[in-house]
Amino acid sequence: MVAFLRLALRRLAMMPVMILGIALLVFVVLQFSPADPAYNALGDSASPQARAAFAEAHGLNDPLPVRYFDFLGRLVQGDLGMTVPPSQPVAIRIVTAFPLTLQLTLLGLALAIVLALALGVTSAMYRDRWPDQVFRVVSMAGIALPSFWLGVLLIQQFALNTPLFPTGGYVNPADSFTGWLHSMALPAVSLALPVAASLARLIRTSMVAELDRDYVRTARGSGLPPSLIVRSVLRNALVTPLTVLGVKVGYLLSGAVVIEAIFDLPGMGKLILEGVTGGDVALVQGTVLTIAIAFLVVNVVVDLLYLLVNPRIRTV
C-alpha cells in the first residue's frame, strides 16, 4: 500500500506540470490563428483606430511570454475569456456544453466495454473455430470503420430509411430518461463500435495467452467449474487492455466532438465548430484546453486503476 501511495502521489504531482505544458501548447498554436480578436469583437465596420485601441486595452500588443503568463493568471481564476459578440464568458459556455460530451463519452465507453468483453471472451473460448474466425473479420472491419462515417450510415439506415431513431437533437435526461436514451443511441453506437472492436482484440489476445498458462491446466485438471476458471483468467487478462483504456477514452472524447456535429448535439463539438467558423480564438482555446485536460485526468485515473489491479508494477 505504501508503494501504491508513493506512485499515486508521483502521478498526481506531475499533473500540474503537464497542464502547464498543455496550456502552453494550446496558447502558442492559437497565436498563429489568422483570426483578429479586435475585428471579431468590434465588427468589420470598426475603424483602424478603434481596433488599435482594443488591441492595446486587451494586451494584444504585448510580447508572447507576457500574454501567456496573463493567460495563465486568468486560467487559474477560471477566466477563459469572452466569446465574440454577443459576449458571454467562455467558461459558462463550456460548463453548459461539457456535460453532454461527458454523457456521450461515458455512454459510448460503457457500450464499448460490454461489447468488447462479450466478443473478446467468446472469441478466446472458441479459439480457431468459426466464432473466432467471424470475430476476426468483424473486428478488423470495426477498427477500419471511421466513427463519423458509421454515424452517417446509422442515420441513413435507422433514422431515414427506417425511422426508429431521430436524425439528431438532444433530450435532457431530467426531462425524459427514455427520450435521452433514444436521442443518444445512434451517437453512442457510432462512437463505441470502433473502440469495442479494438478492445475486443486485445481482450482475446490476453485471454488466449492466459488460457495457455500452467495454472489454467491445473485448475481444469482439479475439476474446478469452468465459470470460475473463466473469471480468474479474465481478471488476469484485463491487465493489458486496461493499460490502453486511457487512450481509448481520449479517442472517445475526441470522437464525441465529431459525432456531436453529425448528430447536432449541443456539446463541446458544437462549441469548437462555432469557434472555428466564427474566428473566436477564446472559445476554441477554452474548449480545446478543457478537452485536453479531461484527457489527461482520465489517463491519470486509469494509471491509478492499473496500479491497483497489477501489484507487480508497484515495486517499480
Side-chain angles (χ1 to χ4, degrees), residues 11-12 15 18-19 22 98 101-102 105-106 109 113 241-254 289-307:
R11 298 287 197 278
L12 294 175
M15 281 191 64
M18 289 186 285
I19 290 175
I22 291 171
F98 188 72
T101 300
L102 187 61
T105 301
L106 294 178
L109 178 63
I113 290 175
L242 187 59
T243 61
V244 301
L245 186 60
V247 177
K248 297 301 180 183
V249 175
Y251 170 85
L252 289 170
L253 266 173
S254 59
L289 185 60
T290 301
I291 293 173
I293 292 176
F295 175 71
L296 172 63
V297 171
V298 167
N299 275 272
V300 171
V301 171
V302 171
D303 282 346
L304 297 181
L305 291 176
Y306 183 51
L307 293 175

Side-chain angles (χ1 to χ4, degrees), residues 154-167 182-183 185-186:
L154 291 176
I155 291 175
Q156 180 67 36
Q157 182 61 40
F158 297 105
L160 297 177
N161 295 343
T162 307
L164 299 176
F165 297 95
T167 58
H182 198 233
S183 65
L186 293 185

Side-chain angles (χ1 to χ4, degrees), residues 19-310:
I19 290 175
L20 284 175
I22 291 171
L24 175 62
L25 179 62
V26 172
F27 177 81
V28 171
V29 169
L30 287 178
Q31 296 310 303
F32 295 97
S33 170
D36 182 0
Y39 176 87
N40 292 330
L42 302 176
D44 54 3
S45 60
S47 64
Q49 293 78 11
R51 294 179 190 175
F54 179 90
E56 184 64 29
H58 291 81
L60 300 180
N61 297 327
D62 294 338
L64 187 63
V66 174
R67 281 182 284 155
Y68 174 64
F69 284 107
D70 179 65
F71 166 69
L72 284 183
R74 289 185 286 106
L75 181 62
V76 170
Q77 301 173 18
D79 181 7
L80 294 173
M82 302 291 289
T83 65
V84 298
S87 296
Q88 291 179 297
V90 172
I92 298 298
R93 298 290 305 276
I94 291 175
V95 167
T96 303
F98 188 72
L100 189 149
T101 300
L102 187 61
Q103 291 170 24
L104 179 57
T105 301
L106 294 178
L107 190 60
L109 178 63
L111 182 59
I113 290 175
V114 171
L115 290 175
L117 286 173
L119 293 174
V121 172
T122 301
S123 179
M125 298 305 296
Y126 291 92
R127 176 174 36 170
D128 296 330
R129 285 181 275 179
W130 72 264
D132 187 27
Q133 302 297 333
V134 172
F135 162 75
R136 292 182 185 182
V137 175
V138 172
S139 63
M140 287 301 296
I143 294 173
L145 192 63
S147 59
F148 63 87
W149 188 58
L150 179 59
V152 174
L153 293 181
L154 291 176
I155 291 175
Q156 180 67 36
Q157 182 61 40
F158 297 105
L160 297 177
N161 295 343
T162 307
L164 299 176
F165 297 95
T167 58
Y170 174 71
V171 176
N172 195 308
D175 299 330
S176 172
F177 183 75
T178 56
W180 173 76
L181 282 177
H182 198 233
S183 65
M184 298 288 278
L186 293 185
V189 169
S190 58
L191 190 62
L193 285 184
V195 174
S198 178
L199 281 177
R201 287 179 64 86
L202 288 173
I203 292 173
R204 180 209 176 268
T205 302
S206 298
M207 282 281 293
V208 168
E210 288 294 323
L211 288 170
D212 288 338
R213 294 186 180 275
D214 291 338
Y215 78 89
V216 176
R217 287 191 287 269
T218 302
R220 286 171 174 167
S222 302
L224 291 178
S227 59
L228 179 61
I229 296 174
V230 170
R231 284 200 299 269
S232 299
V233 169
L234 181 60
R235 183 178 58 188
N236 294 329
L238 287 180
V239 172
T240 300
L242 187 59
T243 61
V244 301
L245 186 60
V247 177
K248 297 301 180 183
V249 175
Y251 170 85
L252 289 170
L253 266 173
S254 59
V257 170
V258 178
I259 293 298
E260 288 169 2
I262 295 174
F263 288 91
D264 192 28
L265 299 175
M268 298 292 281
K270 186 175 182 179
L271 285 190
I272 292 178
L273 185 62
E274 177 185 332
V276 170
T277 56
D280 194 335
V281 175
L283 186 58
V284 175
Q285 185 171 258
T287 50
V288 171
L289 185 60
T290 301
I291 293 173
I293 292 176
F295 175 71
L296 172 63
V297 171
V298 167
N299 275 272
V300 171
V301 171
V302 171
D303 282 346
L304 297 181
L305 291 176
Y306 183 51
L307 293 175
L308 285 175
V309 302
N310 189 9

